[in-house]
Amino acid sequence: MLSFEEKIAVIEEFEELEKKNVSLGRVNFHFEESLYDKKNVVYHLHPNGNGFVYAGEMEGYPVDDRGMVNIRDFDAKELHAIVREAIDSLASTPAEKDPVLEEWMNDYDQLLILMREEDGYNVYAGENLEGTFNSYEEAADFLEQEGFKQD
């Protein structure tokens, strides 16, 4: 297990993070450029080595109900990787994390394009917007009801 000082040294390698001292000797590291309400990347790093990294916008980590991963037993390489991923996840829109660009065709060879943009899904006929949807399922359902199939 890395010491408190060693964890601080790894985290301070990320110039985009701002160190904030909190109660009981704990430290938070904020990412002010976050595209989300969440700005804490490292939360309550304690002198005993315990602490958390926000992974709520990431996949592949066991998170608690706040989206946090306990980093107590992380080595330097693991800590560096999760902090980098956390920053990147807070700096990317959902469309950048999981892009969608699909062509849908009907029996009359008409083409519609389904794209994920920002936090929704848009359907285009050429440059014209045909519809905006909250989920992929809603957009696909619309296209299927209109007689389109994914190409």
Side-chain angles (χ1 to χ4, degrees), residues 117 119-124 129-135 138-139 142:
E117 297 180 307
D119 60 352
Y121 295 83
N122 292 326
V123 175
Y124 292 94
L129 179 64
E130 293 294 317
T132 299
F133 305 90
N134 292 323
S135 70
E138 288 178 10
F142 165 80

Coordinates of all heavy atoms in Angstrom, one line a residue, residues 117 119-124 129-135 138-139 142:
E117 N -25.6 12.7 -29.9 CA -25.0 14.0 -29.8 C -25.3 14.6 -28.4 O -26.5 14.5 -27.9 CB -25.6 15.0 -30.8 CG -25.3 14.6 -32.2 CD -25.9 15.5 -33.3 OE1 -27.1 15.8 -33.2 OE2 -25.1 16.0 -34.1
D119 N -26.2 14.7 -25.0 CA -26.9 13.7 -24.1 C -28.1 13.1 -24.7 O -29.0 12.6 -24.0 CB -27.2 14.4 -22.7 CG -28.1 15.6 -22.8 OD1 -28.4 16.0 -24.0 OD2 -28.5 16.1 -21.8
G120 N -28.2 13.1 -26.0 CA -29.4 12.6 -26.6 C -29.1 11.9 -28.0 O -27.9 11.8 -28.4
Y121 N -30.1 11.5 -28.7 CA -30.0 10.9 -30.0 C -30.8 11.6 -31.0 O -32.0 11.9 -30.8 CB -30.4 9.4 -29.9 CG -29.6 8.6 -29.0 CD1 -29.8 8.6 -27.6 CD2 -28.5 7.8 -29.5 CE1 -29.0 7.9 -26.8 CE2 -27.7 7.1 -28.7 CZ -27.9 7.1 -27.3 OH -27.1 6.4 -26.5
N122 N -30.2 12.0 -32.1 CA -30.9 12.7 -33.2 C -30.9 11.9 -34.5 O -30.0 11.2 -34.8 CB -30.1 14.0 -33.5 CG -30.3 15.0 -32.3 OD1 -31.3 15.0 -31.6 ND2 -29.2 15.8 -32.1
V123 N -32.0 12.1 -35.2 CA -32.2 11.4 -36.5 C -32.2 12.5 -37.5 O -33.0 13.5 -37.4 CB -33.5 10.6 -36.5 CG1 -33.8 10.0 -37.9 CG2 -33.5 9.5 -35.4
Y124 N -31.4 12.3 -38.6 CA -31.3 13.3 -39.7 C -31.6 12.6 -41.0 O -31.3 11.5 -41.3 CB -29.8 13.8 -39.7 CG -29.4 14.6 -38.6 CD1 -28.7 14.1 -37.5 CD2 -29.6 16.0 -38.6 CE1 -28.3 14.8 -36.4 CE2 -29.2 16.8 -37.5 CZ -28.5 16.2 -36.5 OH -28.1 17.0 -35.4
L129 N -33.0 17.9 -39.4 CA -33.2 17.1 -38.2 C -34.7 16.6 -38.3 O -35.6 17.3 -38.4 CB -33.1 18.0 -37.0 CG -33.4 17.4 -35.6 CD1 -32.4 16.2 -35.3 CD2 -33.3 18.4 -34.5
E130 N -34.8 15.3 -38.1 CA -36.1 14.6 -38.2 C -36.7 14.4 -36.8 O -37.9 14.3 -36.6 CB -36.1 13.3 -38.9 CG -35.8 13.5 -40.4 CD -36.9 14.1 -41.2 OE1 -38.1 13.8 -40.9 OE2 -36.6 15.0 -42.0
G131 N -35.8 14.2 -35.8 CA -36.3 13.9 -34.5 C -35.2 13.9 -33.5 O -34.0 13.6 -33.8
T132 N -35.5 14.2 -32.2 CA -34.6 14.1 -31.1 C -35.2 13.2 -30.0 O -36.4 13.3 -29.7 CB -34.3 15.5 -30.5 OG1 -33.8 16.4 -31.6 CG2 -33.4 15.5 -29.3
F133 N -34.3 12.3 -29.5 CA -34.8 11.3 -28.5 C -33.9 11.3 -27.3 O -32.7 11.5 -27.4 CB -34.9 10.0 -29.2 CG -35.7 10.0 -30.4 CD1 -35.2 10.3 -31.7 CD2 -37.1 9.8 -30.4 CE1 -36.0 10.4 -32.8 CE2 -37.9 9.9 -31.5 CZ -37.3 10.2 -32.7
N134 N -34.4 10.9 -26.2 CA -33.7 10.8 -24.9 C -32.8 9.5 -24.9 O -31.8 9.5 -24.2 CB -34.6 10.8 -23.7 CG -35.2 12.2 -23.6 OD1 -34.6 13.2 -23.8 ND2 -36.5 12.2 -23.1
S135 N -33.2 8.5 -25.6 CA -32.5 7.2 -25.5 C -32.3 6.6 -26.9 O -33.1 6.9 -27.8 CB -33.2 6.2 -24.6 OG -34.4 5.7 -25.2
E138 N -35.6 4.7 -27.8 CA -36.7 5.6 -28.4 C -36.4 5.9 -29.8 O -37.3 5.9 -30.6 CB -36.7 6.9 -27.6 CG -37.3 6.8 -26.2 CD -37.3 8.1 -25.4 OE1 -37.0 9.1 -26.0 OE2 -37.6 8.1 -24.2
A139 N -35.2 6.3 -30.2 CA -34.8 6.6 -31.5 C -35.0 5.4 -32.5 O -35.6 5.5 -33.5 CB -33.4 7.1 -31.6
F142 N -38.7 4.7 -33.1 CA -39.2 5.6 -34.0 C -38.9 5.2 -35.4 O -39.7 5.2 -36.3 CB -38.7 7.0 -33.7 CG -38.9 8.0 -34.9 CD1 -40.1 8.6 -35.1 CD2 -37.8 8.3 -35.7 CE1 -40.3 9.5 -36.1 CE2 -38.0 9.2 -36.8 CZ -39.2 9.8 -37.0

